[in-house]
Amino acid sequence: MKAGYSDHTKLDQADVWDLGYRYYLDSQSNAQHPYDLIPFLNHASWVEGAYDNHNLGDAYQLGGRFVTQSDWVLEASYSYLDPDHGASDDAWSIGLGKYLAQGTLLRFNYGNNGDADSYRLGLEHLLPVAGSEGLLLKASVTNVDPDYGDNVWVYDLGGDYFFDRSWSVGADLNWNDQSDDFGWGLSSSYWFNDQANVKLSYGDAENSPGYAWRIQGSLRF
């Protein structure tokens, strides 16, 4: 279960409250991994739902992930957008991936929101680092193909460094070829025990005033 709040310092009506719940099909109790990485390294399957509220409307989300015995990953999600003004809309996505090793996942996702198609190829790899719990490297390339306008390519590169089972810090960098704009983010996650977590994140962009921030609390049962 998780709850969060996010906002932007220079955008009006950008604050969002969100609440979500994820149910794992198998127990995620594991004393060997960092708490953040237990589902990833356990190759976990789950179903989840979420609700978002902001000044312009509400959003409802359902999704799930299933990992086969041969480590193929199947994903699907659906979102219903209910604005305060204007017509409602929906979006959906599907994904297919494969664990190449216990800590290496390659996956492809396709999404549609009624106005554009998106295609994303991503890779996550846990790199062992002496004296720590490792460095999770993440890279992706996304193509957004709108019904009207030019295609957009977005490139992302980042990582999370795990000092121990409880504490990690992360950083990421992205580039958008349409705006020729670099963006970056910083984050930190801390588990007080094997159930309670808090995460802070910050995001900024080269050519945009202000910055985005988010705080999230989680409970894992």
Side-chain angles (χ1 to χ4, degrees):
M1 180 176 176
K2 65 179 181 178
Y5 176 78
S6 59
D7 202 356
H8 194 283
T9 58
K10 291 297 183 180
L11 297 179
D12 295 332
Q13 300 181 327
D15 57 315
V16 178
W17 294 91
D18 61 88
L19 181 67
Y21 180 77
R22 174 180 290 179
Y23 175 76
Y24 294 97
L25 303 188
D26 297 302
S27 172
Q28 296 305 298
S29 298
N30 192 314
Q32 300 178 3
H33 307 315
Y35 295 124
D36 262 345
L37 293 181
I38 287 176
F40 175 70
L41 294 175
N42 278 357
H43 301 187
S45 300
W46 64 70
V47 292
E48 61 186 359
Y51 165 73
D52 298 346
N53 174 267
H54 53 85
N55 291 328
L56 301 179
D58 304 296
Y60 306 86
Q61 304 167 32
L62 291 173
R65 179 185 193 250
F66 180 72
V67 183
T68 70
Q69 291 186 346
S70 55
D71 283 335
W72 285 95
V73 179
L74 308 174
E75 299 177 329
S77 67
Y78 171 78
S79 300
Y80 176 75
L81 311 177
D82 185 18
D84 294 336
H85 306 285
S88 60
D89 201 359
D90 56 9
W92 58 273
S93 68
I94 55 174
L96 176 65
K98 182 70 166 68
Y99 275 98
L100 308 180
Q102 182 189 19
T104 305
L105 174 61
L106 177 67
R107 57 182 169 175
F108 173 80
N109 294 85
Y110 166 78
N112 179 278
N113 66 0
D115 298 318
D117 301 299
S118 63
Y119 309 86
R120 180 181 182 274
L121 182 65
L123 178 67
E124 297 171 85
H125 174 68
L126 181 62
L127 180 69
V129 178
S132 73
E133 292 290 337
L135 174 64
L136 181 65
L137 298 173
K138 297 174 285 188
S140 69
V141 55
T142 303
N143 175 248
V144 180
D145 183 14
D147 294 339
Y148 305 97
D150 298 328
N151 283 10
V152 179
W153 289 91
V154 180
Y155 304 88
D156 292 273
L157 181 64
D160 295 301
Y161 180 78
F162 294 85
F163 295 94
D164 52 34
R165 296 188 63 208
S166 300
W167 182 35
S168 66
V169 296
D172 66 87
L173 181 68
N174 62 79
W175 180 69
N176 182 317
D177 80 325
Q178 185 177 70
S179 62
D180 196 23
D181 194 11
F182 279 99
W184 58 89
L186 299 171
S187 64
S188 182
S189 175
Y190 185 78
W191 289 82
F192 300 95
N193 50 47
D194 60 354
Q195 293 183 318
N197 166 261
V198 64
K199 183 174 183 178
L200 302 173
S201 58
Y202 162 92
D204 207 342
E206 182 181 22
N207 297 322
S208 299
Y211 59 88
W213 63 273
R214 174 175 169 80
I215 181 171
Q216 175 185 291
S218 301
L219 289 175
R220 183 180 293 167
F221 302 101

